[in-house]
Amino acid sequence: MKFILKVDENIEMRLRSLEDLEESFAVTKKNINHLKTFLSWAKDDFSIEDSEKFIIACEEGFAEGKKLDLAIFYDGKMIGSAGFHTIKKDNKMAEIGYWIDEDYEGKGIVSKCVNALVKYGFEELGLNRIQILCATLNKASGAVAVKCGFILEGTLRKDVISNGVVYDSFIYSIISDEYNKS
């Protein structure tokens, strides 16, 4: 099962396969302290078995049309993840999530990936709404949403527990009419 979304000459997003297991585990484990602040699945004991389960879930979710979780590759090196964590075909909506290796933050890579996902979601999947949820304290994630044209809709109170800390989340969205105007 192959799926590749070309972002630019240096960046592409690909559906992971078990061939990517070692690289996927390595980049995740390298960034676990950075990720566990806001992502509930990121734990100190994250294992290669956890990576394997995630890859299998990504492949199954893609085959069922329920998700499109992709690895971000920069110049052929896996540096993070971005994709539709959920796709709800009946409601023509999806939710985007993302993270990137700390060494690659602030270079505009995630914004380019989100823009590519928005384009794919509206033009290929026929979505009506795409949303992003992020912890209110995760300024970088919120900045990506705004940079990509998402509108802040509100705050979900006490929405996420990560590493024993309860966070509120911002919910951002873009709808197809707004995308078509740009």
Side-chain angles (χ1 to χ4, degrees):
M1 212 174 341
K2 291 230 182 227
F3 181 91
I4 298 172
L5 188 58
K6 189 81 170 151
V7 177
D8 67 17
E9 63 277 354
N10 301 103
I11 306 165
E12 70 178 22
M13 294 185 289
R14 297 194 311 242
L15 184 65
R16 291 171 192 80
S17 71
L18 289 176
E19 293 173 6
D20 300 310
L21 179 59
E22 295 289 333
E23 188 174 16
S24 184
F25 173 69
V27 72
T28 304
K29 194 66 174 177
K30 173 183 179 270
N31 287 278
I32 207 72
N33 285 329
H34 171 62
L35 298 173
K36 71 181 183 182
T37 303
F38 298 118
L39 300 174
S40 59
W41 58 263
K43 309 258 190 252
D44 287 329
D45 62 352
F46 186 84
S47 67
I48 196 153
E49 291 80 15
D50 294 324
S51 278
E52 182 177 16
K53 288 175 189 172
F54 178 70
I55 289 170
I56 291 168
C58 289
E59 291 177 323
E60 290 173 352
F62 175 72
E64 295 167 356
K66 293 181 179 177
K67 61 171 51 187
L68 182 61
D69 276 307
L70 307 170
I72 302 170
F73 288 84
Y74 184 82
D75 288 338
K77 178 182 177 186
M78 189 184 298
I79 62 163
S81 183
F84 295 121
H85 293 326
T86 57
I87 300 172
K88 296 180 180 176
K89 290 181 181 178
D90 290 348
N91 291 326
K92 294 187 174 187
M93 68 86 58
E95 182 178 318
I96 292 178
Y98 41 82
W99 66 266
I100 193 163
D101 185 316
E102 269 187 296
D103 296 340
Y104 292 86
E105 283 186 337
K107 300 179 186 317
I109 295 168
V110 173
S111 295
K112 288 179 181 180
C113 291
V114 169
N115 283 330
L117 287 165
V118 167
K119 178 178 171 63
Y120 183 79
F122 288 137
E123 294 181 8
E124 302 299 324
L125 297 179
L127 297 175
N128 182 53
R129 173 190 171 87
I130 300 174
Q131 65 186 34
I132 294 172
L133 283 120
C134 67
T136 56
L137 297 177
N138 191 342
K139 303 298 184 202
S141 188
V144 167
V146 171
K147 183 178 180 181
C148 294
F150 285 69
I151 304 297
L152 176 62
E153 291 186 340
T155 304
L156 302 174
R157 299 179 307 148
K158 308 294 184 206
D159 184 52
V160 175
I161 300 174
S162 184
N163 206 25
V165 179
V166 180
Y167 293 99
D168 293 345
S169 293
F170 284 138
I171 184 165
Y172 296 88
S173 71
I174 187 169
I175 58 173
S176 59
D177 292 346
E178 295 163 345
Y179 170 76
N180 290 331
K181 290 178 186 173
S182 58

